[in-house]
Amino acid sequence: MSSIYKLRDFEKKRITVADLKSVPDVLVTEEVKKCFGVSTSIYFIFDKTWGKKLSLEIGCSQGLVYGFIRYDDDHERANNLISFLGKKLNFDFYEVNS
């Protein structure tokens, strides 16, 4: 079951993927996919201390992070990771019912 987490006032906060990459103990990976000949970057986030990929995709719009999508059932782990990022980068988020 997936869940969507949105950043509050993401346009004002202006957080980028580079900002996420700058947080210690967090690894952001980029996967480039082609759809109808157009390359699209999809970013995933890892908690280095956990040692396992968390299925957390970063949602971006015009270079700004607007939210995260969780694809696995580890709700608590995803929530903790996003909370950690929120504290480090000074943003608040809320879960959208999916």
Side-chain angles (χ1 to χ4, degrees):
M1 184 171 148
S2 66
S3 289
I4 300 169
Y5 304 82
K6 288 188 137 185
L7 275 63
R8 294 186 200 283
D9 300 321
F10 80 92
E11 302 95 340
K12 293 177 186 173
K13 293 292 181 183
R14 307 193 64 80
I15 294 169
T16 65
V17 172
D19 294 328
L20 294 174
K21 288 180 176 182
S22 72
V23 176
D25 296 326
V26 170
L27 178 64
V28 177
T29 62
E30 178 181 10
E31 294 181 17
V32 178
K33 303 286 185 184
K34 278 201 169 187
C35 183
F36 300 110
V38 177
S39 294
T40 302
S41 292
I42 301 172
Y43 299 93
F44 292 92
I45 226 166
F46 295 83
D47 178 341
K48 287 182 183 177
T49 60
W50 195 28
K52 179 178 164 188
K53 181 177 180 179
L54 184 65
S55 297
L56 196 63
E57 181 181 338
I58 301 169
C60 295
S61 176
Q62 298 177 342
L64 301 179
V65 174
Y66 66 82
F68 304 93
I69 303 167
R70 176 182 54 82
Y71 293 109
D72 59 26
D73 291 328
D74 202 336
H75 176 83
E76 184 178 343
R77 190 78 191 158
N79 217 355
N80 289 342
L81 180 55
I82 298 171
S83 292
F84 172 76
L85 292 169
K87 288 177 189 168
K88 292 291 186 181
L89 298 174
N90 191 29
F91 68 78
D92 189 22
F93 68 96
Y94 59 98
E95 185 174 355
V96 177
N97 293 334
S98 55

